[in-house]
Amino acid sequence: MSKTPNATSAALAAFLLYGIPAQAFDVFDITFQGEDSALETALRRASLLRAAHDEGVEDPFEVFAIARAEYGQLIGTFYEAGFYAPQISVRIDGREAADISPLNPPATIGRIELVLTEGPAFVFGQAQLGPLTRDTELSDDFASGQPARSTVIRDATTDAVDGWRELGHAKAEPTDQQITARHPPGALDVAVQITPGPRLRFGQLRPDGQRRTRPARIVKIAGLPTGEVFSPRDVQRAAERLRRTGTFASVALREAEDPNPDGTLDIDASVVEAPLRRIGAGVEYDTEAGGKLSAFWLHRNLFGGAERFRAEGMVGGLGARSGKLDYRLGVEFSRPATFTPDTTLNIEAYAETERESDFEARRARLDIGLVHRFSDELTFGAGVGALLERANVGADLQTQRDYRLLLLPLDATWDRRDSERAPTRGFYARGEAMPFLGLRGTDSGARVYADLRGYRAFGQDDGIVLAGRAQAGAVFGADLDRTPRDLLFYSGGGGSVRGQPFRSLGVTRDDVRSGGQGFAALSAEVRVRATDTIGVVGFADAGYVSEGAFSGSSDWHAGAGIGLRYDTVVGPIRVDVGYPVAGDTGRGFQLYLGIGQAF
């Protein structure tokens, strides 16, 4: 028979006798008497004593307390596998741990033997659970004759309760459980009664824990549909909206214990605010483009309504092979729950200089837009903007052009990756369309761009990931010379073709080099996890640029290489070394350093 002692009294005795000299247990043996290898593996992994031995726990009183807790720990593992008559023996220097008085624990422990006997495997006899909703389907594992695992009973009960909760019965719960093990014939009879309770509607959201955020804004951002039928999904969405603001370090939404007399159920929102301000800095390096230093200052709750304000600066081109120093200063403001709980107002402005071998430009841009989240995967953005650019182009950069444009940026993103920082499955798709109206120095037209990425994992523990990316872009309606440099396309560098110098591929018209109005790029990676923290990557990239929107003169190039990844809490540190394999723009090996996967 299994024995389950009172571990609390053992721990108390260990505390009272803490001062007695101690020695570690030197020998630990586990003997499994059974044929289920998966069960044996699960028991070894669940063993508290095994973990204590591996960690080098030395205090015999702590070991004694762990030994007495081992019975309850392992019997739960037996039940999960469908064995309800196991034998568990924990022997401390030949004595059963359950028979040793907690008031007289051993002062030294030299050997512990754990003997586990699985006994007969049980199957379900009677399997009754209900009532169920019309749409609730229990697993086929919860049926007469199937292995009687305790996890199957738990999951079936959870599915039954969740079915009622989805229909608005927030207080549905199991109210009567009768579980009987019959020895023999090794059958487990299960009867679980579900009480749905009344159908409820959402009451008020009651914020708590905030210090600087206005309660009314918390209610607005959460967007809980007060007055509508209760739904767990709506509660989850409300919590996610609050978390996405970045204003709160933690968010917990809990249902009130009792419904209101009018059939509504209030929801308590417990929040903990994150620090108001944050500063950060970044370093990037590209063999051709040189080093880039950036820094930012962030305020998470500017006006007490979870508004975010960010100011950032950048200096680029440090030690670059081509081009000169570039500067950028920008500010961003975002306000969640503008018009609807899922709509965010964004205002962005920046000024920058850009000095490349074929042009030098100074520009300023202002964008005001709304981003609406239709679901966790699909977002859509629209706005208006203005772009001012003065560029020196042509031979010896002697030709100066001024551009003035009104912009109408539109974008949509469909993100089904399993992870944003290091995806292994799923896909990502983003499309942008930006009609523009030329006010001075430029024609009217439109710029479009698409970015598609896919991921597939293989091998043991998904140790191999195949990743692919396709990009395409075009400018329509405007002549090449009357298009701002900021809207043209180049290829080469970390964002398109590694192994080729940054922006090394463009087009040439009348012996003057510039970016093109057509662009396409393909990238492929094989990511292999070598250890828990280190990965090896092989990659190949190719890029294409054309004078017009996939018309006129054009050229392409390609690069390939290898890289290393080192996982950190902020994402993998990336080191890539690329080499040109096609085209005439190459200049030897290129080195790329950064944080996060290349795509």
Side-chain angles (χ1 to χ4, degrees):
M1 295 178 60
S2 62
K3 301 179 181 180
T4 307
N6 188 329
T8 302
S9 60
L12 176 61
F15 175 77
L16 294 175
L17 299 173
Y18 183 77
I20 298 177
Q23 294 180 2
F25 64 107
D26 299 322
V27 180
F28 176 62
D29 291 328
I30 299 180
T31 301
F32 177 76
Q33 298 176 344
E35 300 178 355
D36 192 326
S37 59
L39 174 59
E40 180 180 3
T41 300
L43 290 167
R44 290 180 178 274
R45 289 178 177 175
S47 171
L48 299 175
L49 284 169
R50 180 176 179 268
H53 185 265
D54 292 345
E55 293 172 5
V57 177
E58 298 182 353
D59 190 336
F61 308 111
E62 183 178 355
V63 173
F64 175 61
I66 294 172
R68 289 175 62 83
E70 188 79 297
Y71 298 95
Q73 172 76 4
L74 296 184
I75 201 167
T77 304
F78 276 113
Y79 288 175
E80 290 177 358
F83 294 86
Y84 291 88
Q87 294 182 7
I88 303 174
S89 177
V90 183
R91 299 170 185 166
I92 300 177
D93 292 329
R95 294 191 297 167
E96 191 67 38
D99 296 334
I100 301 174
S101 172
L103 299 178
N104 188 26
T108 61
I109 295 177
R111 181 185 186 91
I112 294 182
E113 298 172 280
L114 187 57
V115 181
L116 307 173
T117 305
E118 64 181 16
F122 279 64
V123 298
F124 286 117
Q126 296 180 358
Q128 301 175 353
L129 195 155
L132 304 176
T133 68
R134 185 177 306 174
D135 296 330
T136 300
E137 295 183 5
L138 300 182
S139 169
D140 293 338
D141 293 335
F142 186 71
S144 298
Q146 295 297 318
R149 299 183 177 92
S150 63
T151 52
V152 173
I153 303 172
R154 182 179 65 241
D155 293 344
T157 303
T158 299
D159 290 343
V161 169
D162 287 347
W164 285 108
R165 284 173 54 82
E166 289 290 343
L167 294 181
H169 299 263
K171 295 303 179 181
E173 60 180 342
T175 54
D176 185 25
Q177 303 180 49
Q178 297 181 6
I179 301 177
T180 305
R182 291 186 279 129
H183 319 256
L188 190 75
D189 295 333
V190 177
V192 180
Q193 176 72 33
I194 304 295
T195 300
R199 197 169 190 231
L200 302 174
R201 293 173 288 110
F202 279 116
Q204 301 298 316
L205 185 75
R206 303 183 297 198
D208 177 62
Q210 70 278 0
R211 297 176 55 193
R212 294 173 288 268
T213 311
R214 299 191 302 276
R217 283 293 294 160
I218 294 177
V219 173
K220 177 69 174 178
I221 294 168
L224 196 73
T226 299
E228 296 185 11
V229 174
F230 171 88
S231 169
R233 295 180 183 179
D234 287 333
V235 177
Q236 183 179 0
R237 291 190 189 105
E240 287 300 322
R241 292 186 187 110
L242 291 169
R243 294 188 184 103
R244 280 198 300 266
T245 66
T247 300
F248 307 105
S250 69
V251 175
L253 267 58
R254 299 182 179 88
E255 303 157 20
E257 290 291 332
D258 300 309
N260 299 317
D262 62 354
T264 61
L265 182 67
D266 295 332
I267 305 296
D268 294 321
S270 298
V271 300
V272 176
E273 294 177 343
L276 270 181
R277 300 170 184 84
R278 179 186 174 192
I279 60 174
V283 179
E284 297 181 31
Y285 180 75
D286 182 302
T287 307
E288 185 70 21
K292 179 189 295 184
L293 301 179
S294 60
F296 71 87
W297 178 87
L298 172 69
H299 196 297
R300 291 188 172 95
N301 199 357
L302 190 61
F303 301 126
E307 304 90 353
R308 291 168 63 89
F309 178 80
R310 176 186 172 108
E312 62 179 358
M314 182 276 294
V315 179
L318 300 169
R321 288 183 181 178
S322 60
K324 302 177 183 178
L325 290 179
D326 294 325
Y327 304 93
R328 177 186 173 98
L329 179 64
V331 294
E332 299 175 15
F333 173 84
S334 65
R335 181 182 186 271
T338 300
F339 303 122
T340 78
D342 292 308
T343 306
T344 300
L345 168 68
N346 292 320
I347 301 175
E348 180 180 359
Y350 67 85
E352 66 178 1
T353 63
E354 191 173 10
R355 298 179 174 90
E356 299 297 335
S357 59
D358 60 325
F359 74 90
E360 292 185 358
R362 291 174 291 171
R363 69 176 62 95
R365 180 168 171 173
L366 171 66
D367 287 282
I368 302 175
L370 297 172
V371 176
H372 184 78
R373 180 180 290 269
F374 290 95
S375 68
D376 291 339
E377 301 170 346
L378 182 62
T379 60
F380 178 79
V384 295
L387 173 64
L388 310 177
E389 179 179 288
R390 171 169 290 178
N392 293 331
V393 298
D396 299 323
L397 305 181
Q398 295 300 308
T399 302
Q400 180 174 291
R401 292 195 174 115
D402 289 330
Y403 304 97
R404 305 287 187 272
L405 299 91
L406 289 179
L407 313 173
L408 183 64
L410 308 169
D411 66 82
T413 302
W414 191 12
D415 190 350
R416 298 200 63 181
R417 295 173 294 180
D418 59 348
S419 168
E420 184 176 345
R421 295 183 299 183
T424 60
R425 286 186 173 85
F427 65 85
Y428 170 93
R430 179 177 175 85
E432 301 174 3
M434 187 174 66
F436 55 85
L437 176 64
L439 301 178
R440 176 180 175 184
T442 182
D443 300 326
S444 298
R447 184 184 193 269
V448 297
Y449 171 77
D451 184 357
L452 306 176
R453 311 174 191 181
Y455 309 88
R456 181 71 183 273
F458 299 92
Q460 185 177 4
D461 298 327
D462 295 338
I464 301 175
V465 176
L466 300 183
R469 182 184 191 185
Q471 302 177 76
V475 176
F476 299 97
D479 184 78
L480 180 65
D481 292 335
R482 293 174 60 83
T483 302
R485 305 300 94 176
D486 193 37
L487 303 187
L488 297 178
F489 296 98
Y490 293 84
S491 180
S496 54
V497 179
R498 289 161 290 182
Q500 297 286 354
F502 178 69
R503 287 188 167 184
S504 57
L505 182 64
V507 298
T508 301
R509 173 193 280 187
D510 300 329
D511 295 326
V512 176
R513 183 179 180 276
S514 75
Q517 291 186 321
F519 165 75
L522 295 174
S523 299
E525 286 192 351
V526 179
R527 303 170 182 172
V528 180
R529 186 172 62 244
T531 69
D532 290 340
T533 57
I534 297 177
V536 180
V537 173
F539 62 84
D541 304 330
Y544 162 94
V545 177
S546 61
E547 181 180 351
F550 304 107
S551 63
S553 63
S554 63
D555 202 355
W556 74 285
H557 61 178
I562 60 174
L564 290 176
R565 305 291 185 266
Y566 180 77
D567 285 339
T568 69
V569 294
V570 296
I573 296 175
R574 181 178 75 254
V575 180
D576 286 337
V577 178
Y579 190 79
V581 296
D584 57 4
T585 57
R587 297 184 185 177
F589 287 100
Q590 305 286 315
L591 174 65
Y592 307 92
L593 304 175
I595 295 179
Q597 295 287 359
F599 58 88

